[in-house]
Amino acid sequence: MTVFSAYSDEDILSYLQDQVKDGTVHTDEATLKKQSFNPNASGGETGLARAFVEVASVEDIQGVLRAARKFHIAVIPQTTFSSTVIGSDGIDGAIILSTRKMNQILELSKEDSVAVVQPGVVNGDLDKAARKEGLFYAPDPGSKPFSSIGGNVSTNAGGMSTVRFGATKDNVLGLKAVLADGRVVKLGGRTLKQAFGYDLTQLFVGSEGTLGIVFEVTVKLMPIPLGKSVMGVAFFDDMSALAKGVSAIRMSGVYPTMLEALDGNTVIALDRFEGTHYAENSGSMLIFRLDGSSDESVGVLNDLLAKYNGQHVQVTTDPDEQAALEKLRQDMLPAVFSGNNHLMEDMAMPLSKLAPMMDYLQELGKKLGIKIYTAGHAGDGNVHPTFTWSKDEDEVPEVVIEALRQTFWKTLELGGTISGEHAVGMLKNQWNNPELGETVDMLQHQVKTLFDPMNLLNPKRKID
């Protein structure tokens, strides 16, 4: 079909260049390909962006959005580009707006127990800065060393300590953003309580860049707990038995900081990757941590592990041994991914349904004849099954797609959600109606239209 465009590419890029005073506009093919196609995301390439803009100020953000409105061009917000759900990949002809250079810790207040940061600040860097003041930033996704606070806010990232300290949404007090029409809004603040007006701060957390461009975030910091830190491992016959033990620990009052589960397939992969022999112990592994613990809480934990047939229990207070256990958990993904194509999923279950879900995944793998590696943040019911297939196959095999479909339907049947902490992106946006229901699905679109009537911000992400 012949299209008679009002503006040429040269017109559009020239105008865009004029709007970005402090940042940089990239249009070379190498940069566009690198920033449009994320190797961490499953599902293939989505489209090549027209420009990649590294903004350095609020005025730059407003300028990019001004160009987007004038030429009706999609804007894809991006920071460290680590989404696994096609949440910030390119779209044909779009502008990628990167805030990775807006990476300053603007304030770290011990008196108020808050930090004010720009979106490009890396999670781990904020935590290190806070610890120098006797505080820490609690959310700790597996991407902590490289993911940004802006990306964490966009996806409501969780992590290993969510069981005790909550996800990103539980640690954000306020934010500032530029709306699609160029207006700047200040949402929330720095108080630990706030009951005035609708809670638009929490509306933005997890919105995946579809409602506005966040340029400043105020987060809650916590004092480093007193008392000893205890970490250890225990082994169970299978994931169902482990899940029952985790539920008992969760309700015991010991307040664990970490309860990480790895199934037998994952432990075998770790042994192969690390040269260890953990799989000889039993069918699944629990890695646990208590911070600020007492002898009483450690005793309760040990009693519960014994009651639920936890075997080969190892407990340590030695920092080097604890670091080795943390590395073991961090190496889980490269161990599973090694030599395979893979797709890692992200469901969250009511705690009472964690064991049935673990049983279901084991049976599903056997029924379909595929390898499923199941791990996750068992303490908050977050399950990460990884479906793998041969490197020789470029496309996702139909049997893996069917396994995902059945897994999602089972998750919803058990009262869970098919996205616990990885967000929706384009990978799961076709599931809004099954998960949310028809009425809420429609409300989601109405909210999007209110904030972004031209549908410029990250279209097709979060909702379809």
Side-chain angles (χ1 to χ4, degrees):
M1 183 179 72
T2 302
V3 177
F4 297 98
S5 301
Y7 302 98
S8 68
D9 282 349
E10 290 76 13
D11 294 333
I12 294 170
L13 292 174
S14 176
Y15 185 88
L16 178 63
Q17 289 277 7
D18 289 343
Q19 305 308 306
V20 179
K21 307 296 185 183
D22 305 310
T24 308
V25 178
H26 302 270
T27 58
D28 60 286
E29 187 176 10
T31 298
L32 295 181
K33 284 185 174 180
K34 180 180 179 182
Q35 299 303 142
S36 292
F37 308 137
N38 182 359
N40 296 314
S42 302
E45 298 178 354
T46 54
L48 187 66
R50 182 191 307 268
F52 173 70
V53 183
E54 293 182 286
V55 297
S57 64
V58 173
E59 291 73 22
D60 282 349
I61 296 172
Q62 291 174 312
V64 171
L65 293 175
R66 190 177 302 116
R69 294 193 302 274
K70 180 179 177 68
F71 301 113
H72 293 211
I73 296 173
V75 174
I76 313 302
Q78 207 179 84
T79 44
T80 54
F81 198 26
S82 55
S83 169
T84 61
V85 293
I86 321 179
S88 54
D89 294 58
I91 292 175
D92 281 332
I95 301 169
I96 295 175
L97 188 160
S98 172
T99 55
R100 68 186 183 187
K101 285 193 173 180
M102 298 180 72
N103 57 8
Q104 300 300 306
I105 298 175
L106 302 174
E107 181 187 359
L108 203 160
S109 170
K110 190 170 185 177
E111 292 76 16
D112 288 341
S113 297
V114 302
V116 182
V117 303
Q118 292 181 315
V121 171
V122 170
N123 181 307
D125 292 344
L126 172 59
D127 187 45
K128 289 175 185 176
R131 288 178 184 274
K132 292 178 182 178
E133 301 296 326
L135 304 168
F136 72 103
Y137 181 59
D140 64 338
S143 56
K144 186 183 185 80
F146 56 85
S147 68
S148 68
I149 298 299
N152 292 171
V153 169
S154 174
T155 61
N156 187 26
M160 290 182 281
S161 68
T162 302
V163 61
R164 182 167 181 180
F165 299 112
T168 298
K169 70 181 180 67
D170 302 298
N171 293 274
V172 172
L173 299 175
L175 55 84
K176 294 179 181 179
V178 181
L179 301 182
D181 62 10
R183 289 180 295 169
V184 173
V185 292
K186 174 185 176 295
L187 307 176
R190 58 195 293 142
T191 58
L192 298 180
K193 291 181 177 179
Q194 208 269 52
F196 207 94
Y198 297 113
D199 193 346
L200 299 182
T201 308
Q202 291 301 309
L203 180 63
F204 267 69
V205 177
S207 64
E208 300 184 44
T210 60
L211 303 181
I213 307 297
V214 173
F215 65 86
E216 184 178 297
V217 187
T218 301
V219 298
K220 180 169 59 176
L221 301 177
M222 306 284 286
I224 296 173
L226 295 175
K228 60 186 177 182
S229 174
V230 175
M231 198 167 177
V233 294
F235 298 85
F236 294 80
D237 289 337
D238 52 42
M239 286 291 269
S240 180
L242 181 150
K244 293 171 184 174
V246 162
S247 294
I249 294 169
R250 183 78 167 76
M251 299 305 297
S252 67
V254 302
Y255 292 101
T257 306
M258 178 193 301
L259 288 171
E260 295 293 296
L262 291 75
D263 75 349
N265 287 337
T266 305
V267 176
I268 291 170
L270 263 176
D271 280 349
R272 191 166 53 241
F273 189 78
E274 301 274 0
T276 50
H277 302 281
Y278 290 111
E280 296 174 359
N281 291 325
S282 62
S284 60
M285 173 192 287
L286 175 67
I287 304 176
F288 56 86
R289 183 184 185 110
L290 303 181
D291 287 315
S293 62
S294 64
D295 290 339
E296 181 183 7
S297 60
V298 175
V300 169
L301 176 65
N302 281 323
D303 289 345
L304 287 171
L305 290 173
K307 179 179 178 180
Y308 287 89
N309 299 316
Q311 306 150 32
H312 306 287
V313 178
Q314 304 169 33
V315 178
T316 180
T317 57
D318 180 82
D320 292 335
E321 292 177 357
Q322 291 185 0
L325 288 176
E326 287 181 348
K327 183 177 183 300
L328 190 69
R329 174 59 180 83
Q330 292 164 357
D331 285 348
M332 180 268 293
L333 292 181
V336 169
F337 296 168
S338 179
N340 298 308
N341 280 321
H342 58 271
L343 202 160
M344 183 176 69
E345 266 314 318
D346 168 45
M347 301 93 65
M349 312 300 303
L351 294 178
S352 63
K353 302 301 181 183
L354 186 59
M357 192 68 205
M358 297 301 193
D359 287 339
Y360 177 80
L361 287 167
Q362 286 186 333
E363 292 304 313
L364 181 65
K366 293 176 184 176
K367 181 178 77 173
L368 297 180
I370 61 173
K371 185 77 78 174
I372 302 176
Y373 299 84
T374 304
H377 314 308
D380 55 34
N382 197 182
V383 184
H384 293 309
T386 298
F387 304 82
T388 62
W389 64 95
S390 171
K391 281 283 189 184
D392 298 331
E393 298 181 72
D394 293 330
E395 298 295 325
V396 182
E398 189 59 41
V399 68
V400 172
I401 295 173
E402 181 58 27
L404 280 170
R405 188 178 294 116
Q406 292 190 33
T407 297
F408 287 172
W409 281 118
K410 186 65 175 180
T411 299
L412 298 178
E413 177 191 323
L414 293 174
T417 173
I418 65 171
S419 182
E421 60 182 7
H422 290 177
V424 176
M426 290 180 70
L427 202 63
K428 290 181 274 193
N429 63 3
Q430 298 295 311
W431 286 78
N432 282 280
N433 196 288
E435 166 137 351
L436 301 174
E438 185 173 345
T439 301
V440 176
D441 188 13
M442 178 62 73
L443 283 173
Q444 298 266 324
H445 285 80
Q446 291 172 332
V447 169
K448 167 69 170 169
T449 301
L450 177 65
F451 281 86
D452 181 19
M454 295 177 70
N455 194 30
L456 300 175
L457 297 176
N458 226 10
K460 295 292 185 180
R461 319 295 163 91
K462 188 70 176 179
I463 58 174
D464 182 22

